[in-house]
């Protein structure tokens, strides 16, 4: 008898946990499969905060305008309206569930980040906002008897039968063997693919597995060309690219070049608080001008006391590397941070495959357009995680898995490709380097074509499913980046440096069709 439950959620970041809580609140059994510890996710690493309309001088329309403007003409307006209007309700609920955002005199404090017209970013424990949210959500999830959290359960493919997604193949952490688990619906919340690049602010697990699984199951992928590079990752030899939160610039940090000159005025009138794509490219241009590989973030105007309280984690981490943020300029350079593209969903997390839903960074709802506004991602995971859960409950009423869904077909994919950790490590390293050098902050046709040729060569080896997923995802990013012969938001082409509104379309990729264009991301299910 195969393992069976009512619903499966893959991933335990903000979207996965919120969606599991929604599903279980109605009494359903929900298996949450996550490839590492339950608390290990991109959410857990989020420093800056969560954007929400809650302060007296703010309004949903202002948050909407800022999101649309950062998105560089490619946001789905309806998705943005859902985000900013429903965000307030879900954040209030998060507070009721015990999330402790920072307060002064009992009142919530809001910080500012790039491209926000108001101070609207809530934060927790200074710069550990994601960690606090995950803590509160896990505590809330534990109150739901129906939720079964399975850590270290690595999923590598989806089971689709009779056109419906009915289960997941995963590596059972206890049996150390591949298994299948079946359910009435699957909600994919596996996060993004920042690790596609050699330099990333993301945790090691952000390899985009969910995107690849959905793609191979036949789902549509939208806007894969749009990758966000965070301007200020700590740049020290042999150290991971630790994020130096944008909130530091929100609190007054400035960028300096190798000669100590503050340079952002040469690039954008919004200075250090211009949208991330602009700041990232300005840093790269300035590094080139000065013939160096780093720029510097300077927050020495602030007192040690303020910095220790406001950025405790950053303060401590920099100290480990011998840097005192109240005295030293901090070496920084851009690193991949967020994937705006992903599994195409409607406004309720439905994908193009029946039975498969998705929420959070793994998706493309069109909410971020070509460039995500800072601190909108936790809000997206929360709002669309809850909505996906709600939609699943509504859609599957009356549906039951039957024998034909559970029966394995003769020619179905094997459970796992040949596992080969050494080959996986080599493949990941090679792909990440190619992506960084040829499809990163600045792109052009010839290097991207050569990258595709190399991916073809790599794919001709007998790859494990893990490596196959990774190379495929990299190929999807480059396919879309080659296709879009203009520059917009996070996608910059040296050979087509201008924005061209003939390209006000989304890219859509599917395993059995050539790349296509679509006016809206979310409209497909109507
Ligand atoms: C940051 O703290 O700079 C990251 C916040 C975000 O990516 O929204």
């Amino acid at each position: 008898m195969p393992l069976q439950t009512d619903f499966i959620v893959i991933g335990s970041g903000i979207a996965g946990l919120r969606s599991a809580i929604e599903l279980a609140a109605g009494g359903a059994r929900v298996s949450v499969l996550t490839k590492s510890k339950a608390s290990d996710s991109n959410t857990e690493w989020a420093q800056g905060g969560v954007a929400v309309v809650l302060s007296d001088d703010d309004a949903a329309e202002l948050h909407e305008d800022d999101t649309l403007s950062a998105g560089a003409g490619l946001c789905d307006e309806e998705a943005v309206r859902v985000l900013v209007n429903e965000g307030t309700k879900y954040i209030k609920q998060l507070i009721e569930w015990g999330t402790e955002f920072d307060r002064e005199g009992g009142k919530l404090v809001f910080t500012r980040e790039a491209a926000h017209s108001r101070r609207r970013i809530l934060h927790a424990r200074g710069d550990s906002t994601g960690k606090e949210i995950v803590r509160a959500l896990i505590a809330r999830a534990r109150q739901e008897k129906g939720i079964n959290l399975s850590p270290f359960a690595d999923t590598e493919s989806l089971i689709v039968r009779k056109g419906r997604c009915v289960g997941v193949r995963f590596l059972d952490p206890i049996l150390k063997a591949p298994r299948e688990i079946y359910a009435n619906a699957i909600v994919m919340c596996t996060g993004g693919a920042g690790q596609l690049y050699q330099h990333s602010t993301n945790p090691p697990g952000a390899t985009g597995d969910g995107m690849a699984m959905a793609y191979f199951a036949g789902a549509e992928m939208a806007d894969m060309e749009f990758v966000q590079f965070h301007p200020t990752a700590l740049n020290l030899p042999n150290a991971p690219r630790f994020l130096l939160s944008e909130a530091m610039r929100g609190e007054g940090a400035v960028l300096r070049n190798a000669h100590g000159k503050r340079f952002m005025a040469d690039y954008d009138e919004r200075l250090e608080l211009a949208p991330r794509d602009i700041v990232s490219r300005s840093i790269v241009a300035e590094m080139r001008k000065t013939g160096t590989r780093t720029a510097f973030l300077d927050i020495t105007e602030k007192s040690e006391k303020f910095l220790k309280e406001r950025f405790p984690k950053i303060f401590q981490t920099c100290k480990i590397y011998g840097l005192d943020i109240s005295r030293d300029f901090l070496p920084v350079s851009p690193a991949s941070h967020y994937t705006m593209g992903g599994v195409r969903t409607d406004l309720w997390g439905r994908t193009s495959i029946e039975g498969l839903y998705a929420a959070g960074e793994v998706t493309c709802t069109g909410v971020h357009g070509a460039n995500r506004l800072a601190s909108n991602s936790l809000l997206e995971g929360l709002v669309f995680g809850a909505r996906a859960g709600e939609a699943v409950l509504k859609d599957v009423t009356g549906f039951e898995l039957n024998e034909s869904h559970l029966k394995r077909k003769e020619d179905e994919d094997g459970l796992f490709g040949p596992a080969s950790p050494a080959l996986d490590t080599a493949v990941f390293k090679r792909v990440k380097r190619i992506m960084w050098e040829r499809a990163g902050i600045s792109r052009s046709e010839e290097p991207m074509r050569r990258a595709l040729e190399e991916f073809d060569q790599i794919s001709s080896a007998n790859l494990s499913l893990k490596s196959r997923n990774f190379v495929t995802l990299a190929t999807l990013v480059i396919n879309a980046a080659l296709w879009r012969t203009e520059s917009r938001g996070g996608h910059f082409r040296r050979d087509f440096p201008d924005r061209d509104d003939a390209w006000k379309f989304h890219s859509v990729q599917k395993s059995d069709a050539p790349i296509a264009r679509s006016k809206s991301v979310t409209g497909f299910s109507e």
Side-chain angles (χ1 to χ4, degrees), residues 173-412:
I174 296 165
L175 301 177
K176 304 258 180 287
R179 294 189 81 179
E180 298 184 336
I181 177 167
Y182 292 83
N184 297 331
I186 286 83
V187 189
M188 181 71 84
C189 304
T190 45
Q195 286 293 340
L196 272 180
Y197 289 86
Q198 185 179 4
H199 301 298
S200 173
T201 62
N202 288 189
T207 47
D209 317 350
M211 293 180 189
M213 284 191 271
Y215 174 75
F216 280 112
E220 291 181 353
M221 310 294 294
D223 288 351
M224 290 301 289
E225 63 273 43
F226 295 111
V227 176
Q228 182 173 79
F229 291 84
H230 196 291
T232 57
L234 188 63
N235 178 3
L236 290 170
N238 302 322
R241 289 294 202 264
F242 175 71
L243 179 70
L244 297 182
S245 176
E246 191 152 297
M248 293 177 80
R249 280 174 281 132
E251 298 288 357
V254 300
L255 282 162
R256 299 191 182 279
N257 69 15
H259 307 303
K261 181 191 164 214
R262 188 175 173 191
F263 60 80
M264 273 309 296
D266 297 345
Y267 297 93
D268 195 287
E269 61 187 13
R270 290 162 289 184
L271 307 173
E272 280 81 5
L273 292 181
R276 282 181 186 173
D277 57 313
I278 295 173
V279 181
S280 288
R281 282 197 298 278
S282 308
I283 289 177
V284 172
E286 200 64 21
M287 294 192 308
R288 217 165 266 142
K289 239 194 231 171
T290 53
T292 56
R293 292 180 160 228
T294 194
F296 293 89
L297 189 66
D298 168 13
I299 196 162
T300 56
E301 271 289 296
K302 296 284 180 189
S303 72
E304 182 176 335
K305 181 172 177 302
F306 170 83
L307 293 171
K308 270 186 172 160
E309 278 169 18
R310 180 64 187 85
F311 300 111
K313 185 167 169 200
I314 293 172
F315 197 97
Q316 280 310 323
T317 308
C318 287
K319 201 166 157 200
I320 293 170
Y321 294 114
L323 292 167
D324 175 346
I325 70 171
S326 67
R327 289 162 182 268
D328 298 322
F329 290 177
L330 310 171
V332 291
S333 60
S336 85
H337 184 63
Y338 191 87
T339 27
M340 269 75 76
V343 183
R344 184 183 192 183
T345 71
D346 72 3
L347 293 170
W348 291 93
R350 298 184 189 101
T351 72
S352 53
I353 302 180
E354 212 185 340
L356 180 65
Y357 297 73
E361 190 177 347
V362 69
T363 66
C364 179
T365 56
V367 100
H368 306 305
N371 189 24
R372 176 178 63 89
L373 182 67
S375 286
N376 264 356
S377 50
L378 292 176
L379 194 67
E380 181 195 26
L382 189 69
V383 170
F384 288 93
R387 285 171 71 91
E390 211 182 304
V392 167
L393 291 174
K394 200 163 91 206
D395 294 351
V396 302
T397 306
F399 172 80
E400 291 259 350
L401 289 175
N402 60 38
E403 272 303 300
S404 68
H405 293 116
L406 302 179
K407 193 153 177 264
R408 218 156 181 283
K409 283 185 288 187
E410 284 287 299
D411 59 347
E412 215 168 272

Side-chain angles (χ1 to χ4, degrees), residues 434 438 447-457 474-476 478-479 482:
I434 293 172
R438 304 189 201 158
M448 288 198 284
R449 292 223 178 271
R450 277 190 283 118
L452 286 183
E453 281 163 22
E454 281 211 45
F455 292 162
D456 275 349
Q457 268 174 21
T475 305
L476 293 180
I478 296 195
N479 281 345
L482 272 169

